[in-house]
């Protein structure tokens, strides 16, 4: 691919989706299996991340007027990594508000990241090629989500857990959830790297002032 910025945006979309999908399933399972919360409580906990995404996405659109896609994806990536590392290093039995706080960081980071990264993919694509560009983005996004979910479940199952419908707060299971969340954090860190590697300015450059046309408002030459 000749366009470095678009190639980096595709890579960022893949790894960001990988991490997002993984943490979505991990948090819900961790709250049930390790923390012993009900399915309803675990589902409501996971919804916090989704709500943060919904709120942060339009904010990112407004910020795009002054900050470039490079800056916004960097900010979003850092927030997501910080939230995921916080989740990974916090015991599953910590107070629920703290877990929700980390999820707010993850969701806000994803919301801030996604909008400008998608715009960077589509920007400058000829009208006849937009369907192809968006199809590639969608394919990468969905395949990464499936892969992230599979990897997360594979890491957890490596702990020897009897099933996902039983409560088990043993050290091996807790360690497996920690490793799986750190894998998601690593994926978000790679997405952050792709976002920064696209290059370009950090702030939107103001348009150059228009020069008055010769002879307008004055004597003809």
């Amino acid at each position: 691919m000749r366009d470095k910025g678009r190639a980096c945006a595709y890579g960022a979309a893949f790894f960001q989706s990988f991490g997002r999908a993984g943490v979505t399933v991990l948090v819900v399972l961790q709250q049930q299996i390790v923390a012993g919360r009900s399915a309803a409580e675990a589902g409501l906990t996971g919804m916090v991340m989704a709500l943060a995404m919904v709120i942060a996405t339009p904010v990112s659109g407004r910020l795009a007027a002054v900050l470039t896609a490079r800056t916004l994806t960097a900010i979003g990536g850092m927030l997501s990594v910080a939230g995921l590392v916080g989740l990974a290093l916090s015991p599953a039995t910590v107070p629920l508000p703290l877990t929700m706080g980390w999820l707010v960081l993850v969701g806000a980071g994803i919301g801030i990241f996604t909008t400008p990264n998608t715009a960077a993919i589509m920007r400058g694509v000829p009208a006849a090629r937009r369907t192809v560009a968006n199809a590639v983005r969608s394919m990468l996004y969905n395949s990464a989500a499936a892969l992230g979910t599979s990897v997360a479940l594979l890491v957890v199952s490596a702990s020897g857990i009897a099933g996902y419908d039983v409560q088990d707060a043993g050290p091996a299971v807790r360690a497996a959830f920690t490793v799986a969340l750190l894998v998601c954090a690593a994926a978000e860190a790679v997405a952050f790297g792709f976002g920064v590697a696209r290059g370009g300015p950090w702030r939107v450059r103001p348009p150059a002032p228009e020069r008055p046309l010769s002879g307008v408002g004055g004597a003809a030459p």
Side-chain angles (χ1 to χ4, degrees), residues 155 159 170-181:
V155 172
S159 66
V173 175
R174 294 199 304 269
F177 275 106
T178 298
V179 171
L181 286 167

Side-chain angles (χ1 to χ4, degrees), residues 10 118 121-122 125 129-139:
Y10 277 133
T118 301
I121 292 174
M122 302 306 296
V125 177
R129 301 286 297 174
R130 287 174 189 164
T131 302
V132 175
N134 189 55
V136 172
R137 181 201 65 81
S138 181
M139 179 272 296

Side-chain angles (χ1 to χ4, degrees), residues 4 8 16 19 37-39 45 56 83 86 122 141 176 180 183:
K4 175 186 174 183
C8 287
Q16 188 272 332
R37 295 189 171 94
S38 67
T45 303
M122 302 306 296
Y141 195 83
V183 169

Side-chain angles (χ1 to χ4, degrees), residues 22-131:
V23 70
T24 300
V25 68
L26 284 171
V27 168
V28 174
L29 288 177
Q30 185 187 50
Q31 291 301 304
Q32 294 181 81
I33 296 173
V34 180
R37 295 189 171 94
S38 67
E41 290 174 322
L44 290 172
T45 303
M47 283 180 60
V48 171
M49 186 177 75
L51 290 174
M53 291 171 57
V54 170
I55 294 172
T57 298
V59 173
S60 177
R62 290 183 176 274
L63 291 175
V66 292
L67 300 176
T68 63
R70 186 187 193 192
T71 304
L72 290 172
T73 53
I75 293 172
M78 286 189 292
L79 290 175
S80 296
V81 171
L84 283 166
V85 171
L87 283 172
L89 300 183
S90 297
T93 53
V94 298
L96 196 55
L98 180 58
T99 299
M100 290 182 174
W102 293 125
L103 287 171
V104 166
L105 281 182
V106 177
I110 294 171
I112 292 173
F113 182 102
T114 303
T115 300
N117 194 69
T118 301
I121 292 174
M122 302 306 296
R123 186 179 298 116
V125 177
R129 301 286 297 174
R130 287 174 189 164
T131 302

Side-chain angles (χ1 to χ4, degrees), residues 25-26 28-29 32-33 149-159 161-167 177:
V25 68
L26 284 171
V28 174
L29 288 177
Q32 294 181 81
I33 296 173
T149 302
S150 300
V151 170
L153 293 176
L154 183 62
V155 172
V156 172
S157 65
S159 66
I161 188 171
Y164 296 113
D165 57 345
V166 297
Q167 186 175 350
F177 275 106

